[in-house]
């Protein structure tokens, strides 16, 4: 039986090691406070152990913390900037009530903060261009907690 974890690991290692640098970020938000940050960091460690090149943007609140120190153990992970959520694209007088979203959205998650993060991804990939290792030809986004979505991770 082939598991999703095995397929993702295969493609990350087969095609990404030398050609692609992945860009990721972890931001502390009101939206993700109900999620277990420890679980997200465990998931990221699985990703980092794959050996792929990762350009990482971290929340300013994580600077000089044990979490940051654990991430620095990986030679393939570059912590490049400490950031906070950029909501500059949203006018101050706009609220979530003013934005028309599908009625079946996740009301607890789909907030101005969350939507801002989704838009920031493109900006962060662009900002990461100045940190690309010489051997890499491409940049791609990968979610910090990508392995949170995969249930068949071996122990």
């Amino acid at each position: 039986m082939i598991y999703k974890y095995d397929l993702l690991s295969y493609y990350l290692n087969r095609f990404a090691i030398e050609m692609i640098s992945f860009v990721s970020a972890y931001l502390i938000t009101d939206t993700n406070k109900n999620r277990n940050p420890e679980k997200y960091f465990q998931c990221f460690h699985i990703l980092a152990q794959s050996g792929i090149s990762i350009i990482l943007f971290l929340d300013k609140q994580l600077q000089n913390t044990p979490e940051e120190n654990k991430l620095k153990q990986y030679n393939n992970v570059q912590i490049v900037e400490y950031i906070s959520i950029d909501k500059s694209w949203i006018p101050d007088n706009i609220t979530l009530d003013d934005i028309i979203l599908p009625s079946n959205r996740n009301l607890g998650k789909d907030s101005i903060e969350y939507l801002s993060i989704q838009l920031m991804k493109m900006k962060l990939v662009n900002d990461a261009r100045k940190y690309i290792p010489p051997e890499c030809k491409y940049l791609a986004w990968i979610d910090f907690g990508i392995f949170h979505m995969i249930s068949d991770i071996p122990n």
Side-chain angles (χ1 to χ4, degrees):
M1 176 182 273
I2 297 176
Y3 295 101
K4 291 180 276 185
Y5 170 82
D6 295 327
L7 284 174
L8 182 59
S9 294
Y10 172 79
Y11 284 108
L12 286 175
N13 287 311
R14 175 97 161 85
F15 301 108
I17 289 287
E18 295 177 14
M19 304 268 312
I20 301 172
S21 281
F22 288 90
V23 181
S24 194
Y26 185 81
L27 290 158
I28 298 169
T29 68
D30 290 336
T31 305
N32 68 9
K33 284 186 178 164
N34 62 347
R35 294 185 176 181
N36 182 346
E38 188 175 303
K39 173 72 173 165
Y40 273 85
F41 276 88
Q42 288 173 352
C43 292
F44 185 80
H45 289 292
I46 295 168
L47 180 63
Q49 290 167 4
S50 73
I52 63 171
S53 172
I54 302 171
I55 298 169
L56 183 61
F57 295 83
L58 277 182
D59 192 291
K60 288 178 180 180
Q61 296 177 53
L62 291 171
Q63 197 166 5
N64 301 315
T65 63
E67 291 87 354
E68 177 201 36
N69 290 334
K70 288 177 189 172
L71 296 174
K72 287 182 175 181
Q73 71 180 325
Y74 300 104
N75 293 331
N76 56 310
V77 176
Q78 296 179 68
I79 300 172
V80 294
E81 292 180 29
Y82 296 91
I83 60 173
S84 54
I85 296 174
D86 178 8
K87 297 181 191 174
S88 62
W89 69 276
I90 304 172
D92 292 336
N93 62 342
I94 299 292
T95 66
L96 190 57
D97 295 332
D98 298 321
I99 299 172
I100 299 170
L101 293 172
S103 59
N104 63 345
R105 72 183 185 275
N106 181 332
L107 294 174
K109 183 178 88 172
D110 294 338
S111 65
I112 294 283
E113 212 172 49
Y114 180 78
L115 297 172
S116 297
I117 291 170
Q118 299 313 305
L119 289 172
M120 280 180 67
K121 291 178 182 182
M122 288 183 279
K123 179 185 180 309
L124 293 176
V125 169
N126 184 58
D127 292 350
R129 292 181 321 154
K130 60 186 167 200
Y131 303 109
I132 299 174
E135 68 276 7
C136 292
K137 295 181 181 178
Y138 306 101
L139 283 175
W141 180 265
I142 192 162
D143 281 345
F144 186 89
I146 186 78
F147 284 100
H148 182 73
M149 312 263 303
I150 298 174
S151 57
D152 61 356
I153 300 170
N155 293 331

